[in-house]
Amino acid sequence: MKKILVIAPHGDDEVLGCGGYMLDQIKKGAQVHVLFATMGGVDVRQPLDKRLAEVESVAQAAGYKYDIIIKNMDAMLDTLPSREIITAIDKKIAELEPDEVFVNYPSNHQDHIKLYQCAKAAVRLKEGFMPSFFALYEYPFITYNDVLQGGLFYYDITEYIDKKVELFYLYKTQIKNPPSPLNEEGVKVLARMRGLECGRKYAEMFYVQKMVK
C-alpha cells in the first residue's frame, strides 16, 4: 500500500494544494495522512472549535487521517523554535515511513515560510528512514519571486475538481469573496490554468524536490 504524507500549515491548505491528487490516490488504495502545523488562533476568523470541526469533516469526506502539531498558533508559527516543528515532522516520517511527502510552497505567509523551511530540514539526508519522493504543492497566493529548483509534475484532476471544491467549502471559515482566490472560482481558475499547461481540463502542479527510483 502506498503511503503519502501531506504536511500543511493549516486546515484548507492540503485541499487547495493537492486535494485532487489525494482523492485519486485514496481511491486507488493509498493511505494518506495529513500533518497540520497548527489549527486555530487569536484571530476571530480562526476559532479553534470551528476549525477542529471543519478539519474533522474534511478528513472524513476525503478519507485521510491527520494530526496537528500545535493548536492556536495560526499566523504565529514563526514565533516557535524551528527545532520543535522539525522534531514533530521527523517523528511522523519515522512513524509512517511514507513513500511520498508533500509540503506547501513557501508563498509570502509567515506560517507557510516557516513550515516549508522546517519540512525541508526534516527530509534532509540523515540516519533512519527517508522518503524517496518529496514535492511542493501550490497555494492560490503563491508568488514567483523565488526560483525553486526541481522539475514540474502535473496531475490530471479533472475527475475530482468538483469534489475538491466541495471539500474546500467544508472549511466554511476560510471562504473569501473575490478578488480573493479562496472560493470556487479561484480554485477552478488555478486548476484550469495548470490543465492548459499540460493538456488536460483541470490539473494540479507540483515542484519536485527529490525523486529516487
Side-chain angles (χ1 to χ4, degrees):
M1 178 186 295
K2 181 193 285 189
K3 291 182 284 186
I4 300 169
L5 175 62
V6 177
I7 303 171
H10 320 101
D12 79 343
D13 294 317
E14 85 287 9
V15 171
L16 292 169
C18 49
Y21 182 76
M22 290 193 302
L23 287 167
D24 188 53
Q25 292 299 300
I26 290 170
K27 181 179 179 180
K28 292 177 178 177
Q31 178 187 92
V32 175
H33 196 103
V34 180
L35 180 62
F36 294 105
T38 191
M39 202 76 65
V42 296
D43 191 299
V44 294
R45 296 167 297 181
Q46 305 296 339
L48 180 59
D49 57 342
K50 290 185 179 180
R51 297 294 277 129
L52 292 176
E54 287 175 347
V55 74
E56 180 64 26
S57 65
V58 173
Q60 290 187 16
Y64 66 69
K65 296 181 179 179
Y66 69 94
D67 289 296
I68 303 169
I69 295 176
I70 188 169
K71 296 175 182 176
N72 275 327
M73 290 295 290
D74 192 292
M76 296 187 291
L77 286 182
D78 58 324
T79 67
L80 294 176
S82 295
R83 182 177 181 277
E84 185 176 340
I85 301 174
I86 295 168
T87 298
I89 299 173
D90 279 340
K91 288 180 178 179
K92 186 53 63 176
I93 290 176
E95 173 193 332
L96 296 177
E97 296 192 347
D99 302 289
E100 301 174 354
V101 174
F102 292 85
V103 69
N104 61 285
Y105 181 101
S107 80
N108 284 328
H109 191 295
Q110 63 269 28
D111 284 359
H112 290 230
I113 295 170
K114 180 77 169 187
L115 188 61
Y116 163 76
Q117 293 170 339
C118 291
K120 277 187 62 179
V123 296
R124 66 196 181 279
L125 292 175
K126 59 185 177 186
E127 291 183 328
F129 177 83
M130 289 186 297
S132 58
F133 183 88
F134 174 50
L136 309 180
Y137 58 82
E138 294 191 299
Y139 175 71
F141 288 106
I142 61 171
T143 62
Y144 297 94
N145 297 329
D146 299 323
V147 178
L148 296 177
Q149 295 180 343
L152 300 182
F153 164 45
Y154 292 89
Y155 202 82
D156 186 352
I157 65 163
T158 304
E159 180 181 347
Y160 301 98
I161 186 62
D162 291 330
K163 181 66 173 179
K164 174 171 177 166
V165 171
E166 289 175 12
L167 290 178
F168 174 65
Y169 269 68
L170 292 176
Y171 286 115
K172 297 178 182 178
T173 62
Q174 305 307 299
I175 301 168
K176 306 291 187 296
N177 294 322
S180 169
L182 298 182
N183 47 63
E184 180 176 1
E185 179 183 11
V187 172
K188 286 189 172 181
V189 165
L190 179 58
R192 181 64 182 131
M193 181 172 71
R194 296 310 182 208
L196 286 171
E197 293 173 358
C198 67
R200 298 294 186 272
K201 188 172 182 180
Y202 293 103
E204 289 170 344
M205 189 180 80
F206 305 93
Y207 302 81
V208 178
Q209 303 297 286
K210 183 182 77 170
M211 182 170 66
V212 181
K213 293 292 185 180

